[in-house]
Amino acid sequence: MQSLVFLLDVDNTLLDNDAVKADLEVRIGRLLGEARSRDFWAIYEQVRRDYDYVDFPRTLARFRMAFPDERGFPHVAALVLGYPYETALFPLALEVIAYLRTMGTAAILSDGDPVFQPAKIARAGLASAVDDEVLVVAHKEQYLDNVMKRLPAERYVMVDDKPGLLAAMKARLAERVVTVHICQGRYAHEAEHAAYPEWDLGVEQIADLLALGAEEFTPREHTAHG
């Protein structure tokens, strides 16, 4: 059994997903026009509600069915499916992974659709960075038994931008998990997070982990935010 496994989120933790979406909104608007672009993003949101995660392949399929004569569709599909995610990594993200691997095993634990999200992770260079230890699931906190079976360890470190997810992981694994909040992205500052227990460790950006030693990744006493 390994002593320490780092479980790394992807969107807005290692990769600037907010910037990607903003870029896609601008470029899809140019390809489709304002009205049809609104239709595209409405379908995107409906798919996310239906499946509880972003799913670009389903979004594209539904859009194509709704607007079969849309001439800009091939270009939109090419843009979305071929987006250069390697350009969207946060500064020093790959160096952080390499550094964490000097202290334990690093793995990707991401939510998302089962087809596009793994491809996105590979295209960004993240799959290779963790020797293909990539798990993509709908709800991370419900998949922990599988994670622990695949990567048995004495202690886990969950690195994520969502305090709610970190709280759920802590409730499930207690002292076996160290929760690290990366204060990046649109989910990091939502007001509702004030009700969650404090995470074990908080940093402003993923690159800040380079300044921490193994002794920092230990459980701490928790209180509610206030």
Side-chain angles (χ1 to χ4, degrees), residues 13-16 86-97 184 205-210:
T13 296
L14 295 169
L15 188 150
D16 192 348
E86 67 276 9
T87 67
L89 291 173
F90 281 114
L92 301 177
L94 295 179
E95 288 83 351
V96 167
I97 293 175
Q184 300 172 152
Q205 54 193 357
I206 192 69
D208 292 341
L209 295 185
L210 291 169

Side-chain angles (χ1 to χ4, degrees), residues 72-225:
F73 178 79
H75 300 288
V76 171
L79 169 63
V80 171
L81 297 177
Y83 195 90
Y85 283 99
E86 67 276 9
T87 67
L89 291 173
F90 281 114
L92 301 177
L94 295 179
E95 288 83 351
V96 167
I97 293 175
Y99 174 62
L100 296 179
R101 292 183 66 186
T102 68
M103 294 181 278
T105 296
I108 298 293
L109 179 58
S110 173
D111 45 20
D113 79 278
V115 176
F116 185 80
Q117 188 72 1
K120 167 182 169 180
I121 290 166
R123 189 177 301 127
L126 296 171
S128 296
V130 297
D131 282 346
D132 296 328
E133 289 291 359
V134 176
L135 301 98
V136 177
V137 299
H139 299 285
K140 300 175 190 177
E141 67 276 15
Q142 298 175 11
Y143 197 76
L144 287 181
D145 288 340
N146 301 72
V147 172
M148 292 187 288
K149 185 179 297 184
R150 176 167 169 171
L151 297 166
E154 295 176 8
R155 190 165 76 253
Y156 297 90
V157 178
M158 184 68 221
V159 182
D160 204 290
D161 64 303
K162 301 182 188 69
L165 183 279
L166 295 175
M169 299 289 262
K170 178 61 74 172
R172 175 70 174 79
L173 293 180
E175 297 307 303
R176 288 193 65 191
V177 66
V178 176
T179 54
V180 180
H181 182 235
I182 306 294
C183 201
Q184 300 172 152
R186 65 192 184 97
Y187 293 108
H189 301 281
E190 291 184 350
E192 66 187 54
H193 294 329
Y196 291 120
E198 183 67 80
W199 41 81
D200 291 310
L201 185 64
V203 295
E204 289 298 315
Q205 54 193 357
I206 192 69
D208 292 341
L209 295 185
L210 291 169
L212 304 179
E215 68 280 0
E216 296 286 343
F217 298 106
T218 56
R220 303 180 184 183
E221 299 229 353
H222 294 94
T223 59
H225 298 282

